[in-house]
Amino acid sequence: MRENRLFKILYHLLAKGRATAPELAEKFEVSVRTIYRDMDALSEAGIPVYAESGRNGGIYLMKHFVLDKTVLSEEERQEILAALQSVNITQNSNDSRTLQKLSAIFRFDSENWLEVDFSRWGNSGFDNEKFERLKSAIIRRRNVKIHYANSRGGVNERTVQPYKLVYKANAWYLQAFCTGKQDWRTFKLNRILDLEILNEGFSRRDFRETIGTSEGEYQPITLRFPGEMAYRVYDEFDRTQIRPQENGDLIVSARMPEDAWLIGFLMSFGTRVDILSPSRLKDAVAEQAKRIYEKNKS
C-alpha cells in the first residue's frame, strides 16, 4: 500500500513540479506527518526530493530529474507517447493513466495531436459502435452475422469469422472468412447495415490478406480530367497514377474492377471525365447514362 502511494506521489511531483504537504495529504487521504515520512523514504531511495518553506514553498523534485533518462532518447520518448495516444484514440478509450504517468516520467507533455471519429457526418454514432463491436468479436473470436449491401444492389445475410479491421483508401474494411462461401472476403464497414455477435466461437485459421492482393486481376483504365477537378482526382487516386498535362488536364492510369461500382463512380464525375480506355468501359457508362435519361426524361 505504501509503495503504491510512494509511486503515485513521485508521478504527481514529476507531472506538477511541486506540491504542498497538505495537498498531498488530502489527495492520498493520509496525514501530513505521513507525507513527510514518505518524503524521507523517497530520499533514502535516492529520489532527489526536497522541501522549501515560505509562502511559495512546497515539496519539489530536483530540476531536470528524469527516471531512466539514459535508457531512451528524447525522440524515442516522444514516439512512445505518440503511440500510446494513438492506441487510446483508436480504442475510443478515455483511460489515459498510463499516458499521464509516462508523460510525467519523461518530463514533457504529450500533445493532443490526433483525433479519430469513425462515424460519418451527421451519423448518430452507429459507425463507432459498429467498429467497437467488430473489434470485440475479433479479439474474442466470435462469429458475426451481418446484413451487407453488396455492389449488385442487394442485401445479403452472411455469417463471418472476423480477423482484421483495415483502413485503406479513405474507408474502413473488415477482412473475414465467410462461412457460407467458405472463402476469405472483404466487407466495407459502411455497407454493413447491422450486425450480431454470435455465441459461437471459431478456431483461428491461417489468415489470407484480401485487400490489394487481386489488383493484378483488375483491368487497366485511362481517364482524363480537366484541371479544375484536381481536388477530387487527388482525393480518389494516388499521385503516382496521375500525370499532369501542359494544358492543365490530368491523365489517370490505374487498375480497377470493371463492375457496377466503377460505372457509378465514373458517372459521379458527370461530364468532367473522359474515358480514354478501354472502349468497352466507355460504352458501358454511355449505356447507363442513356438508361438514366430514359427513366427520368418525363
Side-chain angles (χ1 to χ4, degrees), residues 23-48:
E23 287 173 354
L24 294 174
E26 181 179 359
K27 179 176 179 64
F28 298 109
E29 300 179 346
V30 294
S31 67
V32 171
R33 180 175 295 180
T34 297
I35 291 297
Y36 281 119
R37 286 200 294 265
D38 288 343
M39 295 304 101
D40 291 338
L42 288 172
S43 294
E44 291 173 3
I47 305 298

Side-chain angles (χ1 to χ4, degrees), residues 235-264:
D235 270 351
E236 304 288 356
F237 299 97
D238 186 80
R239 184 177 180 180
T240 59
Q241 299 172 313
I242 304 168
R243 289 181 286 119
Q245 305 298 296
E246 291 185 2
N247 65 352
D249 287 353
L250 300 171
I251 302 295
V252 173
S253 299
R255 288 182 174 269
M256 305 181 76
E258 290 189 42
D259 55 15
W261 173 86
L262 179 58
I263 293 174

Side-chain angles (χ1 to χ4, degrees), residues 105-284:
I105 290 172
F106 293 161
R107 299 288 292 183
F108 53 73
D109 294 333
S110 174
E111 297 182 1
N112 188 19
W113 64 276
L114 178 65
E115 179 175 347
V116 176
D117 186 351
F118 298 107
S119 62
R120 287 161 282 186
W121 293 106
N123 183 272
S124 60
F126 176 64
D127 288 340
N128 286 330
E129 178 187 351
K130 187 192 308 180
F131 186 91
E132 285 298 307
R133 293 172 67 189
L134 288 172
K135 181 181 74 174
S136 173
I138 292 171
I139 294 171
R140 294 164 55 205
R141 297 186 186 177
R142 290 291 184 268
N143 285 0
V144 178
K145 182 190 294 182
I146 64 173
H147 287 91
Y148 188 71
N150 60 45
S151 60
R152 297 179 298 278
V155 176
N156 295 330
E157 181 179 287
R158 305 276 192 97
T159 297
V160 302
Q161 298 172 353
Y163 274 71
K164 185 186 288 189
L165 289 164
V166 179
Y167 185 78
K168 184 177 179 63
N170 303 321
W172 281 98
Y173 296 87
L174 170 68
Q175 293 182 309
F177 186 83
C178 179
T179 59
K181 300 291 186 182
Q182 283 294 297
D183 200 1
W184 296 96
R185 291 290 187 271
T186 296
F187 303 94
K188 194 171 184 178
L189 256 61
N190 288 348
R191 296 185 190 170
I192 298 178
L193 306 184
D194 57 63
L195 63 93
E196 176 187 356
I197 299 178
L198 305 177
N199 291 327
E200 179 186 358
F202 63 90
S203 299
R204 191 169 182 84
R205 64 184 76 223
D206 290 337
F207 176 69
R208 177 165 62 83
E209 290 285 351
T210 55
I211 291 183
T213 57
S214 60
E215 185 176 340
E217 301 172 5
Y218 296 166
Q219 298 302 314
I221 66 169
T222 306
L223 310 169
R224 180 172 59 219
F225 300 90
E228 59 264 27
M229 293 300 293
Y231 72 96
R232 190 172 169 198
V233 172
Y234 284 101
D235 270 351
E236 304 288 356
F237 299 97
D238 186 80
R239 184 177 180 180
T240 59
Q241 299 172 313
I242 304 168
R243 289 181 286 119
Q245 305 298 296
E246 291 185 2
N247 65 352
D249 287 353
L250 300 171
I251 302 295
V252 173
S253 299
R255 288 182 174 269
M256 305 181 76
E258 290 189 42
D259 55 15
W261 173 86
L262 179 58
I263 293 174
F265 170 73
L266 294 174
M267 290 186 67
S268 69
F269 288 94
T271 60
R272 299 304 184 92
V273 59
D274 291 323
I275 302 171
L276 302 183
S277 68
S279 59
R280 63 179 177 276
L281 179 59
K282 188 169 187 174
D283 294 339

